[in-house]
Amino acid sequence: MADAPKIELFVKASVDAESVGNCPFCQRLFMILWLKGANFTLTTVDMKRAPDVLKALAPGSQPPFLLYNDEVKTDTNKIEEFLEEKLAPPQYPKLCCRYKESNGAGDDIFRKFSAYIKNPNPGLNDMLEKKFLSTLVKLNMFLETPLPHELDQNPNITESSRLYLDGDTLTLADCNLLPKLNIVKVVCKLYRDFAIPAELKGLSRYLNNAYKQDEFRYTCPNDSEILIAYQSVAKYLNK
């Protein structure tokens, strides 16, 4: 067996520099490495200090970036592809999706969330909220629709009971989407008193299952970190 690679993941530090900060791309890669079961070092980078290690390893880059043996990678999508290729079966689990539709599920939510949360004008709020809500409904429909392998097992089912986007195990698609959904949940609650409707049973089931998994729950930043990050961009509605 080949020697295990030396892996170090650099992520954004929290405001107090004691834990992980708000960065969905950092959390995405943190989750991938944890799910792979690889040995790795997690290094938090205090952006206020712009440490020498950052300047030396990845000049001009923002976290996340990866040090794999002596190779530096700075593009999140390319890091994901690289890890899936290098940390492969039989030693490491494959995390890519079985169904290509799973990769795009929920990919419009964050954009509509941003428009919704950055708007200070009450007159536009209902319209922006409906657009945002429609993306959640669309994701919910995907999660409630049985996947082909579920129909193979039971052709009569009308609703999926799977745990995650692509089945009953977390995949790269979940690592991409879940950190964003966590931000959506935290920010919408404070600034709009908006919670994901319980009627969206597929989406509620998905999030409940995800928060039970250490690989997601323990890679999330503290809610306070998310809110600090959104202080300058999220807007309360003007009365």
Side-chain angles (χ1 to χ4, degrees):
M1 186 183 291
D3 289 342
K6 187 180 178 188
I7 303 170
E8 187 169 4
L9 177 65
F10 294 81
V11 300
K12 179 182 173 184
S14 57
V15 172
D16 63 8
E18 294 295 317
S19 57
V20 295
N22 175 63
C23 172
F25 307 107
C26 296
Q27 186 179 358
R28 173 181 170 186
L29 297 179
F30 190 177
M31 286 180 69
I32 289 169
L33 283 169
W34 193 331
L35 287 165
K36 285 285 186 184
N39 289 323
F40 66 98
T41 302
L42 185 76
T43 300
T44 55
V45 178
D46 182 355
M47 297 307 294
K48 292 194 295 292
R49 296 181 185 171
D52 292 337
V53 65
L54 189 67
K55 294 172 187 168
L57 279 175
S61 292
Q62 298 278 334
F65 57 91
L66 183 83
L67 190 57
Y68 188 96
N69 292 328
D70 294 321
E71 205 173 339
V72 180
K73 302 279 183 186
T74 59
D75 180 282
T76 302
N77 289 333
K78 289 179 179 172
I79 293 171
E80 178 184 276
E81 291 171 11
F82 177 80
L83 291 174
E84 186 69 355
E85 178 191 332
K86 292 289 186 183
L87 304 178
Q91 192 170 356
Y92 304 98
K94 192 171 76 164
L95 297 180
C96 63
C97 291
R98 191 186 314 193
Y99 308 106
K100 68 178 188 298
E101 293 82 8
S102 302
N103 289 311
D107 61 1
D108 49 355
I109 289 174
F110 212 61
R111 190 171 66 252
K112 293 291 192 283
F113 153 75
S114 294
Y116 172 53
I117 213 68
K118 291 176 182 177
N119 164 57
N121 183 347
L124 297 175
N125 186 63
D126 283 355
M127 180 262 294
L128 292 169
E129 185 172 295
K130 281 175 185 168
K131 287 186 175 181
F132 166 55
L133 187 56
S134 72
T135 64
L136 299 179
V137 170
K138 183 177 161 189
L139 175 59
N140 183 73
M141 285 176 61
F142 175 77
L143 289 163
E144 289 189 352
T145 303
L147 293 171
H149 74 270
E150 292 180 285
L151 290 168
D152 288 344
Q153 291 165 0
N154 182 357
N156 297 319
I157 59 168
T158 56
E159 191 171 315
S160 175
S161 61
R162 69 187 186 274
L163 300 179
Y164 308 113
L165 289 174
D166 199 61
D168 288 337
T169 55
L170 289 165
T171 61
L172 297 176
D174 299 294
C175 295
N176 184 23
L177 182 60
L178 284 168
K180 296 173 183 174
L181 289 179
N182 185 56
I183 291 170
V184 165
K185 182 175 75 76
V186 171
V187 176
C188 284
K189 180 65 181 163
L190 179 69
Y191 284 92
R192 294 292 180 273
D193 196 26
F194 176 97
I196 292 171
E199 296 85 353
L200 300 182
K201 292 178 183 174
L203 181 50
S204 298
R205 182 187 71 236
Y206 175 52
L207 286 171
N208 287 338
N209 288 323
Y211 282 115
K212 291 174 186 171
Q213 296 302 310
D214 290 353
E215 297 91 344
F216 177 50
R217 186 170 72 239
Y218 293 134
T219 57
C220 285
N222 292 328
D223 288 0
S224 58
E225 282 296 316
I226 296 172
L227 295 174
I228 287 168
Y230 273 81
Q231 265 178 352
S232 60
V233 289
K235 301 284 189 273
Y236 289 105
L237 294 176
N238 296 326
K239 300 301 181 191

